[in-house]
Amino acid sequence: MSGKKLNIGLFGFGCVGFGLYEVLQKTPGLKADIKKICVKDRLKKREIGSENFTFDPSDIFNDPEINVVVELIDDADAAFEIVSKALKSGKAVVSANKKMIAEHFTELLELQREYKVPLLYEAACCASMPIIRNLEEYYDNDLLDSIEGIVNGSTNYILTKTFKENLSYEAALKEAQEKGFAESNPILDTGGFDAKYKLLILLAHSFGYIAQPADLFNIGIDKIGKLELKYAKEKDLKIKLVAKAFKNADGDISAFVLPKFVAAEDRLYNVDDVFNGVVTKTSFADEQFFVGKGAGAHPTASAVLSDISALGYDYKYEYKKISQQQADSRQQIDGKPLTLSDDVTLKVLLRHEAADAENLKKYFISIDESYLNHESGYITGTISLQQLREVEGGNLKQSFVLL
Amino acid sequence: MSGKKLNIGLFGFGCVGFGLYEVLQKTPGLKADIKKICVKDRLKKREIGSENFTFDPSDIFNDPEINVVVELIDDADAAFEIVSKALKSGKAVVSANKKMIAEHFTELLELQREYKVPLLYEAACCASMPIIRNLEEYYDNDLLDSIEGIVNGSTNYILTKTFKENLSYEAALKEAQEKGFAESNPILDTGGFDAKYKLLILLAHSFGYIAQPADLFNIGIDKIGKLELKYAKEKDLKIKLVAKAFKNADGDISAFVLPKFVAAEDRLYNVDDVFNGVVTKTSFADEQFFVGKGAGAHPTASAVLSDISALGYDYKYEYKKISQQQADSRQQIDGKPLTLSDDVTLKVLLRHEAADAENLKKYFISIDESYLNHESGYITGTISLQQLREVEGGNLKQSFVLL
């Protein structure tokens, strides 16, 4: 649709939807207009006139003039229905819904191929930060060793509060909720699920590996207690929720979402508040680091805008690394397809209840320190990701933080 | 040339040229081969067989199979001759020569338009960091307020040495030269000229303004003395050489290269050694920060590789902001074309010889502190960029550092 005018059908008019509307008003250079906005709630008062809205999705799907569907609703299932219907109608799609994209990655890939229309979703991963585009375009031939980042703005806001103002996790979460940075049911963020969806998207664009959400292990920040905060303070560390994927020694890929003690020398140490930060390590370019706002109406709308603009010159994700993986595995290059492996060792601090101490020690490959009082204790040492998953699944009360 | 094989004619086989050769060997996924390498020195021993080389440029220009010319030589004048000849022969070009690009920006733009072939030069600006591509693609519609960065690897290496190891400027420079991070005649780097060429390129891609090198004011790090280093140490600051361009209050653009005292809260504080870092501020995405290696054979080759790969899918810079500027000024939008203005105020520390104290004070709009002993003194205060240029051009012995 090079040079052609972009007529947008927008689904959802929350924070980001309205942000996009505002941002489009201020960029007259971009030949894109919102033609119709489909919303659900008939009673909600809107910031702009009612003539812009419809309650019937088919007003968008059946309008031949609308060539771009922008999906900005919360509900991942409804979003998938909208996005797949739009692709099947031959309309290009921009979405910011990480849960939906992570849960339907393969289907969305196939829909794009079958109907020859692009789906772009830069805003789904670290909001304003152009990480997917850079992985797609810029590192398409460099050999990636690892990608590690703070990819969730609300947990980073909470963690920054606990650190800077000495708040407990609960108090910081409450403040984040009051300020609108965390949902009333915050478990998607605080449990590390949102970060996991983003990790899944990053894995596909950086290593060409398509995981299922259940394949990827995530611990959030909701179990972080006073002991870990004190440990961090004493050692001048910060706790950050990191998502990481890397090529391990066997040439497989390992990936997880875990809280991590981060030292001042670490690039991620100064990524605070709602900022996100991603460090890539590659064979040729060595280390690269990107920082940008990971939440907020305008930063997210800015990424959506950038995707809309890219559609104007027929941009689409090439998914080169996925094609490469599929070709390699067909041709049996390297002998085997790329696999996701939990067979890696991690240095962690494990805080536990006193009664579980002896049982938990068995899971460690080696122990550096252990401490115990009448109620609780902690162990620092080396454990495999496999064993860590097993402990975490065992319904004991404990918390893990990467060292 | 979508999907077509890329046959490369390479000019220059120094550090980066050989780096590119190595990097290409390791990326079999990219359909690109170096067909011929043109070098000057007939006697120099090369790392690869002599059948790869030619001493006659026309072996590359006249070879119809060669569709990409990669220019990696030092001499800016010879580089311009090669690049313009290649473009006129209808060959796409990748170059890493910032001096050449900065000095001939308009001509190179016209050559690209006239002969309908692209010139890419990501490696010319911050080596491995994909800053041009991001400015071109990602921020094409966001409204940029400012761009500020450490864009020269060798001066940053020198400054990091003076800070971490308490070396004098001279000792740090000597060490950098011994390690190959600085040229034997280092004035292009240490005088801030290299940073200025990069600033000129950034200005074009971020604001659509094409400057001449002489338009942009640069002070390097070569005059930094013990007093400034001591001032920084005492106040927990680092000195960094920054290039900055920003929209000023009048809607004009101001730009300069200056040493700057940087506090720990500043994103640039932890950009050390040969790393480069760039902070952009935009209306919608707010603050973004990119860090990557700004020097070295493989990081630079990685950016060249990325440009070569982009040619494979017919990528070219759109120079949208330049076109927008030109259209605006023809249509008299905003009443006047975008101009570069020195009419902005800066907070600086000025170190000077004792005898110049009274004379120099007159240039300041306001003075916060002044110190004087029998040999020398310093003034901190507010000065306009215009006046700063005047003082600097006056052949007095002084040094400026931004506060």
Side-chain angles (χ1 to χ4, degrees):
Chain A
M1 55 186 78
S2 207
K4 206 166 77 179
K5 193 162 175 299
L6 303 174
N7 292 308
I8 298 168
L10 172 62
F11 285 87
F13 204 65
C15 228
V16 178
F18 181 54
L20 178 66
Y21 177 86
E22 289 183 302
V23 154
L24 271 170
Q25 304 281 49
K26 289 177 194 158
T27 50
L30 183 65
K31 286 189 287 179
D33 278 319
I34 298 178
K35 202 181 168 203
K36 204 49 109 185
I37 306 168
C38 182
V39 290
K40 223 170 120 186
D41 188 342
R42 288 170 190 258
L43 301 172
K44 196 172 161 189
K45 212 176 134 31
R46 307 285 173 182
E47 293 89 342
I48 58 171
S50 63
E51 70 282 5
N52 294 287
F53 295 96
T54 177
F55 305 102
D56 181 3
S58 59
D59 282 352
I60 289 179
F61 295 128
N62 296 338
D63 184 338
E65 280 188 1
I66 288 178
N67 47 14
V68 177
V69 166
V70 176
E71 177 282 305
L72 298 173
I73 67 171
D74 266 349
D75 179 335
D77 295 332
F80 179 65
E81 208 175 302
I82 290 165
V83 169
S84 48
K85 209 157 174 182
L87 292 171
K88 285 176 187 170
S89 320
K91 298 183 194 301
V93 178
V94 176
S95 168
N97 201 312
K98 39 249 164 197
K99 186 166 189 279
M100 183 273 290
I101 293 161
E103 285 174 342
H104 300 280
F105 203 90
T106 305
E107 288 155 279
L108 292 169
L109 206 62
E110 279 163 10
L111 282 169
Q112 289 179 77
R113 282 177 186 158
E114 190 177 343
Y115 294 92
K116 294 189 177 42
V117 273
L119 163 67
L120 302 180
Y121 42 80
E122 188 63 75
C125 203
C126 305
S128 66
M129 196 200 301
I131 187 69
I132 299 177
R133 207 80 76 80
N134 276 290
L135 288 169
E136 270 286 305
E137 300 306 310
Y138 198 73
Y139 302 109
D140 55 348
N141 288 288
D142 203 338
L143 310 170
L144 201 76
D145 298 321
S146 69
I147 179 163
E148 179 180 23
I150 296 168
V151 298
N152 179 276
S154 37
T155 50
N156 205 39
Y157 178 85
I158 292 168
L159 290 170
T160 303
K161 279 274 155 188
T162 62
F163 182 82
K164 283 194 181 160
E165 297 172 23
N166 249 326
L167 295 184
S168 69
Y169 166 76
E170 291 78 14
L173 169 61
K174 195 156 166 276
E175 197 175 317
Q177 286 173 321
E178 281 162 10
K179 291 207 172 169
F181 292 134
E183 309 290 329
S184 52
N185 175 6
I187 187 68
L188 271 189
D189 289 325
T190 60
F193 296 95
D194 176 87
K196 173 157 93 169
Y197 301 139
K198 290 165 180 166
L199 177 62
L200 188 149
I201 296 171
L202 291 175
L203 257 177
H205 288 278
S206 52
F207 292 103
Y209 184 85
I210 305 174
Q212 299 300 316
D215 298 340
L216 301 175
F217 180 60
N218 59 298
I219 295 184
I221 63 164
D222 47 343
K223 289 180 178 174
I224 290 173
K226 279 183 195 148
L227 182 133
E228 298 88 298
L229 294 175
K230 195 164 158 259
Y231 185 94
K233 276 272 172 202
E234 280 175 10
K235 295 187 157 46
D236 283 328
L237 304 166
K238 289 182 185 174
I239 300 177
K240 296 287 183 191
L241 185 64
V242 302
K244 182 168 184 175
F246 58 102
K247 275 237 162 108
N248 65 33
D250 302 328
D252 294 327
I253 292 200
S254 298
F256 53 77
V257 174
L258 275 171
K260 181 182 178 182
F261 291 113
V262 169
E265 301 78 55
D266 194 308
R267 294 263 180 223
L268 298 179
Y269 186 85
N270 289 313
V271 178
D272 283 331
D273 301 312
V274 298
F275 278 94
N276 285 183
V278 172
V279 179
T280 58
K281 285 187 183 145
T282 62
S283 292
F284 310 140
D286 201 336
E287 183 184 278
Q288 304 247 347
F289 178 42
F290 299 85
V291 177
K293 281 208 168 166
H298 281 181
T300 310
S302 140
V304 173
L305 182 77
S306 182
D307 279 349
I308 294 171
S309 166
L311 290 175
Y313 54 91
D314 287 323
Y315 179 75
K316 61 179 192 291
Y317 300 142
E318 299 282 345
Y319 297 101
K320 272 187 251 180
K321 296 196 175 182
I322 293 175
S323 314
Q324 189 69 38
Q325 279 310 320
Q326 289 168 347
D328 283 1
S329 94
R330 270 197 306 277
Q331 293 158 27
Q332 293 271 314
I333 290 176
D334 300 329
K336 62 182 173 95
L338 197 63
T339 52
L340 195 69
S341 161
D342 288 343
D343 190 14
V344 283
T345 59
L346 305 170
K347 282 250 181 202
V348 297
L349 177 146
L350 163 64
R351 176 179 50 77
H352 56 76
E353 303 213 316
D356 302 326
E358 284 315 304
N359 178 31
L360 286 170
K361 282 184 182 166
K362 290 184 300 193
Y363 289 90
F364 279 77
I365 295 165
S366 68
I367 291 175
D368 295 325
E369 270 185 292
S370 64
Y371 165 84
L372 198 62
N373 64 28
H374 288 296
E375 287 98 44
S376 61
Y378 71 84
I379 302 167
T380 65
T382 304
I383 190 168
S384 75
L385 180 53
Q386 222 158 12
Q387 296 290 67
L388 197 157
R389 283 185 97 138
E390 207 165 299
V391 175
E392 191 64 16
N395 281 320
L396 299 175
K397 277 196 183 164
Q398 76 276 310
S399 104
F400 278 104
V401 182
L402 265 185
L403 277 165
Chain B
M1 54 187 77
S2 206
K4 206 166 78 179
K5 191 158 175 299
L6 303 174
N7 293 308
I8 299 168
L10 172 62
F11 284 88
F13 203 66
C15 227
V16 179
F18 182 54
L20 178 66
Y21 177 86
E22 288 182 303
V23 155
L24 270 171
Q25 303 282 50
K26 289 178 193 159
T27 49
L30 183 64
K31 285 188 287 179
D33 279 318
I34 298 177
K35 203 181 167 202
K36 203 52 106 180
I37 305 168
C38 182
V39 289
K40 224 170 116 185
D41 188 342
R42 289 171 190 256
L43 300 172
K44 196 172 162 188
K45 211 176 132 36
R46 308 284 173 183
E47 294 89 343
I48 57 171
S50 63
E51 71 282 6
N52 295 286
F53 295 96
T54 176
F55 305 102
D56 180 4
S58 60
D59 282 352
I60 289 178
F61 295 128
N62 297 338
D63 184 339
E65 279 188 1
I66 289 179
N67 48 13
V68 177
V69 166
V70 176
E71 177 280 306
L72 297 174
I73 67 170
D74 266 348
D75 179 336
D77 295 332
F80 179 65
E81 209 177 300
I82 290 166
V83 169
S84 49
K85 208 156 176 186
L87 293 170
K88 286 176 185 169
S89 320
K91 299 185 195 297
V93 179
V94 176
S95 169
N97 201 312
K98 40 252 165 194
K99 186 164 188 280
M100 183 273 291
I101 293 161
E103 284 173 343
H104 301 280
F105 203 90
T106 305
E107 289 156 278
L108 291 169
L109 206 61
E110 279 163 10
L111 283 169
Q112 290 179 76
R113 281 176 185 158
E114 192 178 342
Y115 294 93
K116 294 190 176 46
V117 272
L119 164 66
L120 302 181
Y121 42 80
E122 188 64 74
C125 203
C126 305
S128 66
M129 197 199 300
I131 188 68
I132 301 177
R133 206 81 75 81
N134 277 289
L135 288 169
E136 271 286 304
E137 300 305 309
Y138 199 74
Y139 302 109
D140 54 347
N141 288 287
D142 203 337
L143 310 169
L144 199 76
D145 298 320
S146 69
I147 180 163
E148 180 179 22
I150 296 168
V151 298
N152 178 277
S154 39
T155 50
N156 205 40
Y157 178 86
I158 292 168
L159 292 169
T160 304
K161 279 274 155 185
T162 62
F163 181 83
K164 283 194 182 159
E165 296 173 23
N166 250 326
L167 295 185
S168 69
Y169 167 76
E170 292 78 15
L173 169 61
K174 193 154 168 276
E175 196 174 317
Q177 286 173 322
E178 282 163 8
K179 291 208 172 168
F181 291 135
E183 309 291 329
S184 52
N185 175 7
I187 188 68
L188 271 189
D189 289 325
T190 59
F193 296 95
D194 175 88
K196 174 158 92 169
Y197 301 138
K198 290 166 180 166
L199 177 62
L200 189 150
I201 297 171
L202 290 175
L203 258 177
H205 288 278
S206 52
F207 292 102
Y209 184 85
I210 304 175
Q212 299 300 316
D215 300 339
L216 302 175
F217 179 60
N218 59 299
I219 294 184
I221 63 165
D222 47 342
K223 290 180 177 175
I224 290 174
K226 279 185 194 145
L227 184 134
E228 298 87 298
L229 294 175
K230 194 164 159 257
Y231 185 96
K233 276 272 171 200
E234 279 175 11
K235 294 187 158 46
D236 283 329
L237 304 166
K238 289 181 186 174
I239 300 178
K240 297 288 183 190
L241 184 65
V242 302
K244 183 169 183 174
F246 58 102
K247 276 237 161 107
N248 65 33
D250 302 328
D252 293 326
I253 292 199
S254 296
F256 53 77
V257 174
L258 275 170
K260 181 182 179 184
F261 291 114
V262 169
E265 302 78 57
D266 194 308
R267 295 263 180 223
L268 298 179
Y269 186 85
N270 289 313
V271 178
D272 283 331
D273 301 311
V274 297
F275 278 94
N276 284 184
V278 172
V279 180
T280 59
K281 284 186 183 147
T282 62
S283 291
F284 311 140
D286 201 335
E287 184 185 278
Q288 304 247 346
F289 178 41
F290 299 84
V291 176
K293 281 209 168 165
H298 281 180
T300 310
S302 139
V304 173
L305 181 78
S306 182
D307 279 350
I308 294 172
S309 164
L311 291 175
Y313 55 91
D314 286 324
Y315 180 74
K316 61 179 190 292
Y317 300 142
E318 299 281 345
Y319 298 101
K320 271 188 251 180
K321 296 194 175 183
I322 293 174
S323 314
Q324 188 71 38
Q325 279 309 320
Q326 289 168 346
D328 283 2
S329 94
R330 270 197 305 276
Q331 293 158 27
Q332 292 271 311
I333 290 175
D334 300 329
K336 62 179 173 94
L338 197 64
T339 51
L340 194 69
S341 162
D342 288 343
D343 189 14
V344 282
T345 58
L346 304 171
K347 282 250 182 202
V348 298
L349 178 144
L350 163 64
R351 177 179 49 79
H352 54 75
E353 303 213 317
D356 302 326
E358 285 315 302
N359 178 31
L360 286 170
K361 281 184 182 167
K362 291 183 301 195
Y363 290 91
F364 279 77
I365 295 165
S366 68
I367 290 176
D368 296 325
E369 271 184 291
S370 64
Y371 166 84
L372 197 63
N373 64 30
H374 288 296
E375 286 99 44
S376 61
Y378 71 84
I379 301 168
T380 66
T382 305
I383 190 168
S384 75
L385 181 53
Q386 225 157 10
Q387 296 289 70
L388 197 157
R389 284 185 94 137
E390 208 164 299
V391 176
E392 190 65 14
N395 280 320
L396 298 174
K397 277 197 182 163
Q398 75 274 312
S399 104
F400 279 104
V401 182
L402 267 185
L403 277 165

